[in-house]
Amino acid sequence: MRRLPDMDAAQFQQWQKLLEHRTGITLSEERRSFLETNLSIRMREIGFSSYQDYYEHIVSGPEAIREWSVLVDRLTVQETRFFRDPDAFRLVADYVLTRPREQFRKGPLEAWSVGCSTGEEPYTLAITLNECMSQLGLQPLFGVTGSDISQPALIKAQKGRFSARSLQGMDEDLRARYFRPAERNTVDIVDSLRERVCFARLNVLNLDRVPMQGVNIIFCQNLLIYFRRWRRREIVRKLAGYLAPGGLLVLGQGELTDWQHPGLQRVPSEHVLAWTKRQSNDE
């Protein structure tokens, strides 16, 4: 296969603008080669040799919507694994284990993994919550929602099947309790846990349309790095609006600096960037 010509500055800017307009994601000049590589692979698959022709196909072609979905999946799905940030999940566990008992009588705990990719993060949240409920001697009354812009990633997440590689570093006891061997060096999450996790397609530019409220834990890591600073603040401000009083919001370390929401209180931690939602006097 012949190598495609290098993308010039004008073409790169054109693709930059399209991606940011539709998803909010920004690509720096340093990531031009990343864009070129992923575009060229897809272009060869469907018979395009010109970046401009493919751009027009994406914008106004007869199968533009379907092709855009395929391309977004190629550009946004990142490799992940279970318990990718152990400190963050320990903080979640501490948060749950120190809740007043009466809070568990108000209803099941609700957690939300924003930008969940292929499901490792929401299932890790489910494992963490299940372990906490067991330690507290409570029934496992909780639910986890995972959302992502990539439909193929969500389909994979719903199946609950993962490569053994994604479990590297996980505690052996947890692996034995929550996974079962499957075919070709893969494992399946146990049904009792998989049934507590649901998935939904969501572009974070459309957070105003989310039919959720009173979420106890919102986990959003390794997503904001793809957005401009002003948009990061906007996204987190909207996420804060979905928290229940006393709820916990967890971000990736360094993803948001010099920011404070009047309704949130920073969690004192050297290794995790997190806030809890202030409770009103009558709550």
Side-chain angles (χ1 to χ4, degrees):
M1 293 186 294
R2 287 191 307 168
R3 185 178 183 276
L4 294 175
D6 291 338
M7 178 182 289
D8 62 34
Q11 290 172 328
F12 178 62
Q13 290 172 7
Q14 182 175 240
W15 281 98
Q16 270 184 316
K17 291 179 181 177
L18 180 66
L19 192 62
E20 182 167 4
H21 174 70
R22 291 190 175 183
T23 69
I25 294 173
T26 59
L27 287 180
S28 63
E29 177 64 34
E30 290 75 21
R31 302 198 75 202
R32 185 191 292 198
S33 61
F34 164 82
L35 180 63
E36 283 187 12
T37 299
N38 284 276
L39 287 180
S40 61
I41 291 172
R42 181 56 183 165
M43 287 164 62
R44 288 193 180 98
E45 289 176 357
I46 59 176
F48 282 88
S49 58
S50 161
Y51 291 116
Q52 187 60 39
D53 289 345
Y54 184 50
Y55 177 86
E56 292 174 3
H57 175 68
I58 283 284
V59 171
S60 57
E63 297 184 353
I65 295 176
R66 187 186 71 82
E67 182 57 30
W68 173 251
S69 179
V70 173
L71 182 61
V72 165
D73 179 58
R74 301 288 181 89
L75 296 177
T76 59
V77 175
Q78 305 294 318
E79 183 177 357
T80 184
R81 65 181 185 276
F82 285 85
F83 292 92
R84 180 173 180 173
D85 184 348
D87 289 326
F89 290 106
R90 278 193 286 269
L91 186 143
V92 169
D94 289 343
Y95 167 80
V96 175
L97 292 172
T98 56
R99 293 301 90 195
R101 281 302 182 105
E102 58 268 18
Q103 287 200 6
F104 295 106
R105 290 193 284 269
K106 295 180 180 179
L109 279 181
E110 296 291 341
W112 179 14
S113 167
V114 185
C116 70
S117 188
T118 49
E120 287 85 345
E121 184 175 281
Y123 286 122
T124 301
L125 277 171
I127 290 172
T128 302
L129 294 178
N130 199 66
E131 288 292 298
C132 289
M133 296 295 178
S134 178
Q135 288 185 49
L136 293 169
L138 299 173
Q139 292 295 316
L141 296 176
F142 67 87
V144 180
T145 299
S147 64
D148 199 271
I149 194 173
S150 170
Q151 190 64 35
L154 293 173
I155 291 172
K156 183 177 179 180
Q158 287 171 331
K159 292 178 180 178
R161 175 164 293 181
F162 301 92
S163 68
R165 179 181 176 184
S166 67
L167 274 64
Q168 286 182 350
M170 180 185 290
D171 180 87
E172 289 295 331
D173 289 339
L174 292 181
R175 183 185 298 205
R177 282 203 294 277
Y178 294 108
F179 296 89
R180 297 290 178 264
E183 59 187 22
R184 297 180 183 178
N185 200 32
T186 61
V187 293
D188 288 339
I189 198 101
V190 296
D191 289 343
S192 60
L193 198 75
R194 185 168 57 84
E195 291 167 356
R196 296 193 173 278
V197 184
C198 65
F199 296 92
R201 188 164 187 261
L202 173 69
N203 184 334
V204 292
L205 296 187
N206 300 327
L207 281 174
D208 291 335
R209 307 176 190 175
V210 175
M212 300 175 70
Q213 60 180 350
V215 181
N216 303 103
I217 301 166
I218 297 180
F219 207 95
C220 180
Q221 288 197 324
N222 306 302
L223 173 68
L224 298 179
I225 55 175
Y226 299 106
F227 299 90
R228 297 187 187 277
R229 291 181 181 178
W230 68 267
R231 198 181 293 278
R232 295 182 194 185
R233 296 187 181 99
E234 182 180 77
I235 290 171
V236 176
R237 179 183 59 79
K238 291 180 179 180
L239 290 178
Y242 290 108
L243 278 176
L248 177 70
L249 172 64
V250 182
L251 306 182
Q253 190 75 300
E255 287 187 309
L256 197 64
T257 58
D258 301 325
W259 178 86
Q260 182 60 52
H261 187 288
L264 301 180
Q265 180 175 351
R266 179 76 185 270
V267 175
S269 172
E270 294 182 5
H271 306 293
V272 184
L273 184 62
W275 292 264
T276 54
K277 189 168 186 177
R278 302 179 192 277
Q279 302 195 47
S280 60
N281 293 331
D282 55 347
E283 287 174 315

